[in-house]
């Protein structure tokens, strides 16, 4: 069942297990856009059982919902779909991935959520095989855990198999206490930092973040924090040099940055491939 209606905002609830961090600043910008141009894409909801169409649960479009709410509107245009729990989560994750506006940490969570839901819906993909609903090549049974999933999902969402594998591994490696501290920080936007952090033990993750978030510390990244911890609180010459380069690189004007990247284009591209960005 699919229908489009103008629904009261008060009839729509948001599930607690949302797969995306809510960004108030982006939502405020979206609210201004909607106020000026209108809502181009309806949100998606599904009926709450046994409510006779009087109550709905949000499937996708949280930012649009909050933006319309900010504008003081009483109703919002919604696409009503009859989805079960897994199909609803799959729809939410796929839509957010398709919009390509996720920060690194959100993208890792979405790809992990996608893996979990997809393999629950198609259990055979967890063992390195293709879904019966695809024509993908059957993979080896001894393939890594998420390889079968990545093989036939990568093309749909425009990401390489390696990118998906790295993102899923990052999310699985970050413990809940670490995740709670990362949201809203600069580290949450940098996959290389998240990957380095995810490869540490839970205790090490906590100590590294303590050092990075300490206002009195001169450590600004995971590598520097690890070096400081291993050196008894002092950074090695290599770590200090790296930190100076990081700060200088971040301060470069766009024109100078473009020239630097152009001069090292081959190495930059090779690095992006190694880290799963390309």
């Amino acid at each position: 069942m699919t229908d489009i209606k103008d629904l009261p905002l008060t009839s729509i609830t948001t599930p607690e297990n949302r797969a995306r961090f809510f960004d108030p600043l982006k939502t405020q910008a979206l609210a201004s856009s909607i106020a000026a141009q209108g809502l181009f894409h309806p949100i998606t909801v599904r009926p709450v059982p046994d409510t006779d169409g009087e109550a709905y649960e949000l499937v996708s479009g949280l930012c649009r919902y909050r933006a319309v709410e900010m504008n003081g509107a009483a109703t919002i245009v919604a696409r009503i779909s009859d989805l079960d729990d897994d199909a609803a989560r799959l729809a939410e994750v796929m839509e957010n991935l398709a919009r390509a506006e996720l920060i690194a940490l959100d993208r890792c969570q979405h790809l992990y959520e996608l893996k979990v839901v997809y393999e629950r819906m198609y259990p055979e993909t967890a063992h390195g095989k293709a879904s019966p609903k695809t024509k993908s090549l059957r993979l080896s049974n001894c393939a890594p855990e998420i390889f079968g999933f990545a093989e036939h999902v990568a093309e749909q969402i425009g990401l390489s198999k390696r990118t998906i594998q790295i993102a899923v591994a990052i999310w699985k490696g970050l413990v809940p206490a670490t995740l709670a501290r990362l949201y809203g920080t600069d580290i949450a936007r940098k996959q290389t930092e998240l990957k380095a952090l995810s490869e540490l033990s839970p205790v090490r993750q906590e100590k590294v973040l303590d050092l990075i978030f300490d206002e009195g510390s001169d450590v600004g990244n995971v590598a520097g924090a690890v070096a400081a911890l291993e050196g008894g609180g002092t950074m090695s010459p290599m770590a200090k040099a790296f930190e100076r380069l990081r700060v200088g690189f971040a301060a470069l004007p766009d024109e100078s940055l473009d020239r630097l990247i152009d001069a090292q284009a081959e190495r930059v591209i090779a690095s992006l491939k190694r880290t799963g960005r390309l």
Side-chain angles (χ1 to χ4, degrees), residues 90 118-119 121-139 147-153 156:
L90 190 63
Y118 198 96
E119 292 181 353
M121 295 175 72
Y122 308 110
E124 64 277 12
T125 62
H127 303 290
K129 304 175 186 176
S131 164
K133 296 190 176 184
T134 73
K135 295 182 179 179
S136 300
L137 177 68
R138 174 173 174 150
L139 303 171
F147 191 78
F149 157 77
E151 174 70 21
H152 48 269
V153 172
Q156 298 178 46

Side-chain angles (χ1 to χ4, degrees), residues 229-248:
L229 290 171
E230 291 178 348
T234 59
M235 295 178 68
S236 68
M238 180 68 73
K240 289 181 179 180
F242 179 85
E243 185 63 14
R244 286 195 297 271
L245 284 172
R246 185 191 68 81
V247 173

